[in-house]
Amino acid sequence: MPKFLLIHGPNLNKLGTRDGKHYGLTTLANIEKLVSDEAKIYDYEIKAFQSNHEGALIDFLQAETPKAAGIIINPGALTHYSYALFDALVDANLPVIEVHLSDIKNREPFRKNSVIAAACIGQIVGKKEIGYTEAVQLLVRHIKNYGRD
């Protein structure tokens, strides 16, 4: 069965206890189940990974992208400054959807810019966990229309 990578950056392991106004009340485990259930509808499986360390996220991408069809990523704060993560996503040569639980475009000024966005075929912000199911749907539609690349 083809696989999507579901990648979570720093502090997302704390979902459910973080500011509910911005991040919702669900946990990371619940998001991973939601995404997995959505992917199964389209005959995809999910391989999820979370780290608070930029290098660990890059190592995971480099190890897992040869076996994947697409990527869903919430880079957390790395969104705003990690050119190394951007490069790893470009090097993956897979369709990528960037997801944020909060609406980064309507928060603090430093959150408005995403250096990751240019490596992605789409960005979903401010829809809480529903944004992740939309990301699965976007990836499936993209792969159906254009293939992996």
Side-chain angles (χ1 to χ4, degrees), residues 1-143:
M1 184 179 298
K3 171 175 48 179
F4 292 145
L5 304 179
L6 176 60
I7 301 171
H8 313 282
N11 297 312
L12 291 167
N13 57 310
K14 300 297 285 179
L15 289 176
T17 61
R18 295 185 79 190
D19 180 356
K21 174 184 163 201
H22 290 298
Y23 306 109
L25 302 174
T26 195
T27 65
L28 187 59
N30 289 340
I31 288 173
E32 290 176 354
K33 180 169 181 356
L34 181 72
V35 173
S36 182
D37 290 347
E38 185 71 19
K40 283 179 187 171
I41 294 169
Y42 304 100
D43 296 321
Y44 283 85
E45 64 181 342
I46 296 296
K47 181 156 189 179
F49 181 75
Q50 187 279 328
S51 180
N52 293 320
H53 305 281
E54 180 181 38
L57 296 171
I58 293 167
D59 289 343
F60 177 81
L61 278 166
Q62 291 175 353
E64 296 297 328
T65 54
K67 302 170 265 185
I71 301 167
I72 299 168
I73 186 168
N74 182 338
L78 296 172
T79 300
H80 315 294
Y81 64 87
S82 180
Y83 294 103
L85 187 54
F86 167 85
D87 287 344
L89 290 168
V90 169
D91 291 346
N93 199 31
L94 293 173
V96 180
I97 305 292
E98 177 185 356
V99 178
H100 295 280
L101 294 159
S102 69
D103 184 355
I104 62 172
K105 297 174 183 181
N106 287 307
R107 289 191 59 192
E108 302 91 338
F110 73 90
R111 293 190 197 270
K112 294 179 192 295
N113 182 50
S114 169
V115 300
I116 303 300
C120 301
I121 62 165
Q123 182 189 65
I124 301 169
V125 302
K127 295 185 176 185
K128 305 289 188 279
E129 62 273 9
I130 298 305
Y132 286 92
T133 58
E134 288 183 18
V136 170
Q137 295 162 12
L138 281 171
L139 276 179
V140 169
R141 191 165 47 247
H142 178 84
I143 290 168

